[in-house]
Amino acid sequence: MTRLSKACWIVVADEEKALLLDNRGTGLAPVLHLLKRIDSAEVLAQSDRSARDRDHSQQTTEPPDYHRMAGQALATAVAGHLEQARAEHGFEQLVLIAPPQVLGALRQALPESLRDEVLAELPKTLTGHPLPHIAELLAEALAAS
């Protein structure tokens, strides 16, 4: 049985947004609190500003996969925020909850020092669920492991 500490942060993400949460409850009964919401539209808009300065005279044979690009850009933004937040606030554990493709992008975007803090990964889409329901599903998944 895996247990959450009070110093555990939880990332709940999909291709459109990421919720950074912390546990303010116990390991058996987590109480999740929203720390930050990161939207992929904001992340892509920031990266698009720099892309507009590039030369777009080259044609690509395939149109870009914006859905995949959004997930990767969001994963990179989340990893950067986690690095900064860890330095400022500190956390002992990290749980990643995302659909498999986004989970893979998060895994790749995290630096090795943060990968070592990952307590659990849940391949689920939970961004549309209320925080108490996410806490219940997280507690159930960790109790089963």
Side-chain angles (χ1 to χ4, degrees):
M1 175 180 183
T2 306
R3 287 188 146 182
L4 296 176
S5 71
K6 279 203 175 201
C8 181
W9 280 27
I10 299 94
V11 176
V12 181
D14 60 18
E15 292 86 0
E16 296 176 9
K17 66 184 168 202
L19 307 174
L20 303 181
L21 314 167
D22 71 343
N23 178 29
R24 297 194 177 172
T26 65
L28 296 174
V31 176
L32 304 181
H33 178 261
L34 179 64
L35 298 170
K36 183 165 181 77
R37 176 186 167 133
I38 302 171
D39 290 308
S40 65
E42 293 172 13
V43 172
L44 287 175
Q46 289 173 353
S47 65
D48 186 46
R49 285 185 200 113
S50 63
R52 280 186 236 143
D53 297 334
R54 296 186 208 133
D55 179 18
H56 294 289
S57 61
Q58 296 179 356
Q59 294 289 329
T60 59
T61 57
E62 282 183 32
D65 183 353
Y66 291 110
H67 198 64
R68 183 185 55 80
M69 288 170 53
Q72 289 176 339
L74 185 64
T76 302
V78 167
H81 184 76
L82 287 172
E83 275 188 294
Q84 180 183 2
R86 184 177 184 207
E88 292 174 7
H89 309 289
F91 52 83
E92 296 172 4
Q93 299 171 327
L94 191 58
V95 174
L96 305 176
I97 304 173
Q101 187 173 356
V102 176
L103 196 56
L106 281 169
R107 232 182 269 123
Q108 287 180 338
L110 289 176
E112 190 172 331
S113 62
L114 285 178
R115 276 188 233 139
D116 294 341
E117 304 301 326
V118 175
L119 174 69
E121 296 178 354
L122 300 176
K124 297 181 179 220
T125 304
L126 298 180
T127 51
H129 294 265
L131 295 182
H133 187 242
I134 295 171
E136 287 175 28
L137 293 172
L138 178 59
E140 288 172 14
L142 293 177
S145 64

